[in-house]
């Protein structure tokens, strides 16, 4: 709602001198924030339409905006089951995020690329992305916790697909704090699916 008001205000002030050359950047930033909010709320179709349009408008030197928009597209394409498009968008997000040292953006890009690779049956490639997310978890503060949570979720899925259920369970425990506060649906579904698989396996072994 706040982003909508900002975009409307910028539109109303189209001829105002006070915004000068900053006007376009402010509008793009507000629209990217809208796309992120839509992805977090799992408004998949709306987010894809907005983010795809933004990719055509954002200047290539605006690496942070490009990384955020590409991550939105990667997440939404993954939610639709289009793993090739998800991986491609994640690769773009990592490239733009890496240019400016954006830890959150690059960690999310590797996480999404790893999930897309798992969806395509590429476990080795998914493990490489997981290793990179884990390495980025050596930072500090919120970035460390965020990356660690993403790495744990991705490692849990990799372990489950390799039938290493004990390792998957350990990873899920590590990811619990993350899934408890994260908004978007797909990571939560990933954790639920893995937990259900582990419980089923435990039942069969009883």
């Amino acid at each position: 709602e706040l982003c909508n008001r900002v975009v409307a205000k910028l539109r109303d002030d189209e001829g105002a001198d006070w915004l000068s050359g900053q006007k376009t950047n402010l509008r793009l930033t507000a629209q990217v924030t809208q796309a992120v909010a839509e992805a977090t709320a799992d408004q998949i179709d709306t987010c894809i339409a907005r983010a795809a349009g933004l990719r055509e408008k954002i200047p290539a030197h605006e690496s942070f905006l490009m990384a955020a928009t590409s991550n939105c597209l990667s997440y939404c394409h993954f939610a639709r089951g289009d793993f090739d498009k998800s991986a491609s968008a994640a690769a773009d997000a990592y490239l733009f995020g890496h240019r400016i040292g954006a830890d959150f953006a690059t960690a999310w890009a590797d996480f999404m690329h790893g999930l897309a690779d798992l969806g395509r049956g590429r476990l080795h490639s998914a493990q490489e992305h997981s290793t990179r997310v884990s390495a980025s978890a050596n930072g500090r503060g919120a970035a460390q916790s965020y990356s660690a949570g993403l790495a744990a979720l991705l490692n849990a899925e990799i372990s489950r697909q390799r039938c290493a259920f004990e390792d998957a369970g350990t990873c899920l425990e590590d990811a619990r704090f993350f899934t408890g506060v994260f908004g978007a649906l797909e990571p939560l579904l990933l954790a639920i699916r893995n937990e259900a698989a582990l419980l089923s396996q435990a039942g069969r072994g009883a």
Side-chain angles (χ1 to χ4, degrees), residues 135-150:
S136 69
N138 292 326
R140 296 181 180 179
Q144 180 183 20
S145 298
Y146 184 82
S147 297
L150 291 176

Side-chain angles (χ1 to χ4, degrees), residues 90-125:
D92 289 342
Y94 183 86
L95 175 65
F96 286 110
H98 185 68
R99 285 180 183 175
I100 55 173
D103 292 336
F104 288 96
T106 54
W108 182 259
D110 270 325
F111 174 68
M112 290 310 309
H113 206 153
L115 289 183
D117 281 340
L118 287 173
R120 299 184 293 181
R122 303 178 180 178
L123 265 70
H124 181 73
S125 179

Side-chain angles (χ1 to χ4, degrees), residues 48-123:
I48 285 180
R50 186 185 305 279
L54 284 169
R55 280 295 305 264
E56 302 300 318
K57 298 177 184 178
I58 299 172
H61 68 271
E62 293 287 355
S63 295
F64 180 79
L65 297 182
M66 288 292 279
T69 303
S70 297
N71 270 327
C72 287
L73 284 171
S74 179
Y75 176 82
C76 291
H77 285 310
F78 179 83
R80 278 184 168 181
D82 194 334
F83 302 129
D84 288 337
K85 286 185 179 180
S86 177
S88 178
D92 289 342
Y94 183 86
L95 175 65
F96 286 110
H98 185 68
R99 285 180 183 175
I100 55 173
D103 292 336
F104 288 96
T106 54
W108 182 259
D110 270 325
F111 174 68
M112 290 310 309
H113 206 153
L115 289 183
D117 281 340
L118 287 173
R120 299 184 293 181
R122 303 178 180 178
L123 265 70

Side-chain angles (χ1 to χ4, degrees), residues 1-9 29-35 37:
E1 178 60 32
L2 176 60
C3 290
N4 289 333
R5 293 204 302 268
V6 171
V7 172
K9 177 62 178 175
T29 300
Q31 290 174 336
V32 169
T33 304
Q34 284 179 307

Side-chain angles (χ1 to χ4, degrees), residues 39-50:
T40 303
D42 289 286
Q43 298 173 9
I44 302 302
D45 293 339
T46 303
C47 181
I48 285 180
R50 186 185 305 279

